[in-house]
Amino acid sequence: MAFKLPSLPYAADALEPHIDAKTMEIHHGKHHNGYTSKLNAAVEGTTLEGKSIEEILGGLDMNNAAVRNNGGGYYNHCLFWEVIGPDSGQMSSELSSAIDAAFGSFNIFKDAFSKAAATQFGSGWAWLCVHSDGKLEVCSTPNQDNPLMKSVGCEGTPILGLDVWEHAYYLNYQNRRPDYIEAFFNVVNWTEVSKRYAAY
Ligand code: MN3
């Protein structure tokens, strides 16, 4: 069973003015679609065929560049489309408490996450991860790496991710990555992030 590009769960223009429709169309229809088809090509006929993306990334040989880059790209964007949306939803009291416990307050968490996103040199992602004991951590990874991969410097299950590749923001924000990061917080779907926290 090959991996499939998921449909965007909202219209491409639903996140305007924070993320513009053209960026969403290209990002989903070209970039994510490309990772999906290249991932399928990379696993076809190998022992990875038929495994879930979480199984593949959790047991990944980091020297397998095709699966690392395209499997990461496939998973990361699947998560990204779901944790953002036109409705900010509602953060659960459990997630709110965990954020307070780990960072001190939501605003301190937001600063730490924004800093991780802003200082990731070149292409990559910022993450909010939950460890097996429920503790939260903010980190960033280069390229399409993510915390499911062993030895990337942060571990756990990502429950919020921010794509800071230029393809995610350049049409609208050019070199102003900090403005894009600030805008991102207007489109986070906290109901979905809370659901992922509850399922860790
Ligand atoms: Mn991207």
Side-chain angles (χ1 to χ4, degrees), residues 92-115:
S92 68
S93 57
E94 290 81 5
L95 177 57
S96 179
S97 299
I99 286 175
D100 289 347
F103 304 101
S105 72
F106 178 82
N107 282 333
I108 298 173
F109 150 71
K110 186 183 170 189
D111 285 350
F113 186 94
S114 299
K115 190 178 174 201

Side-chain angles (χ1 to χ4, degrees), residues 27 31-32 35 73 76-77 80-81 124-125 144 163-165 167-168:
H27 199 178
H31 292 277
H32 196 187
Y35 297 124
N76 296 347
H77 291 84
F80 189 53
W81 311 134
W125 291 74
Q144 295 296 355
D163 188 342
V164 295
W165 283 57
H167 69 224

